[in-house]
Amino acid sequence: MKKKILIVDDEPNIVMSLEYTFKKQDFEVYIARDGSEALEILKTQTPDVILLDIMMPNVDGYQTLSHIKSDEKLKDIKVVFLTAKNKASDIEKGLTLGADKYLTKPFSVKKIVSEIMELVA
């Protein structure tokens, strides 16, 4: 069965590149441009992993992750932050909120794929 990934980012170039890459890896890919869109998708889909940006309009990544972790049906989904926020305090906050991994931009697509594959194996 195909693995499912939800990519949540407001930068179209990043989304396109990751969508293409994960489709080539035989993932079913869902896209959201901010946290509120992600939460809408999560009402009907349960991805294996969520790749989540922090700085987005409307509902940011921290708020989105808090919502996911407080929902009984969603709390076990693996969540990976992919963000430009790279200070130690940002990383600590993300991991404390429940992120499984914290990756920073700019990023290597190869590294992201290997990190995601490790999580969903």
Side-chain angles (χ1 to χ4, degrees):
M1 207 165 104
K2 275 189 175 190
K3 295 287 186 191
K4 296 179 182 179
I5 186 168
L6 170 58
I7 300 169
V8 189
D9 200 308
D10 59 334
E11 294 179 43
N13 292 343
I14 288 176
V15 170
M16 277 176 15
S17 152
L18 292 171
E19 179 181 22
Y20 173 78
T21 301
F22 282 103
K23 281 186 173 172
K24 268 185 31 188
Q25 296 292 326
D26 205 32
F27 273 74
E28 200 172 309
V29 180
Y30 300 90
I31 305 292
R33 286 179 294 280
D34 64 33
S36 55
E37 267 186 38
L39 295 172
E40 276 303 306
I41 290 170
L42 290 170
K43 288 178 182 174
T44 60
Q45 297 298 326
T46 307
D48 297 285
V49 64
I50 299 170
L51 202 48
L52 182 60
D53 188 14
I54 292 175
M55 296 181 291
M56 299 178 292
N58 305 321
V59 179
D60 73 18
Y62 292 134
Q63 295 165 310
T64 305
L65 179 60
S66 293
H67 183 86
I68 290 165
K69 291 303 176 184
S70 68
D71 186 315
E72 203 53 43
K73 289 192 317 245
L74 306 175
K75 69 179 174 56
D76 295 328
I77 296 173
K78 301 289 186 200
V79 178
V80 177
F81 271 131
L82 178 61
T83 178
K85 292 175 82 64
N86 60 6
K87 291 198 305 234
S89 59
D90 297 323
I91 295 168
E92 187 180 323
K93 180 177 180 179
L95 295 173
T96 301
L97 283 172
D100 295 279
K101 293 189 183 271
Y102 194 106
L103 306 174
T104 55
K105 297 175 183 175
F107 59 87
S108 141
V109 170
K110 198 173 179 178
K111 174 152 175 57
I112 288 184
V113 169
S114 89
E115 295 278 355
I116 297 291
M117 294 310 240
E118 190 180 291
L119 272 181
V120 300

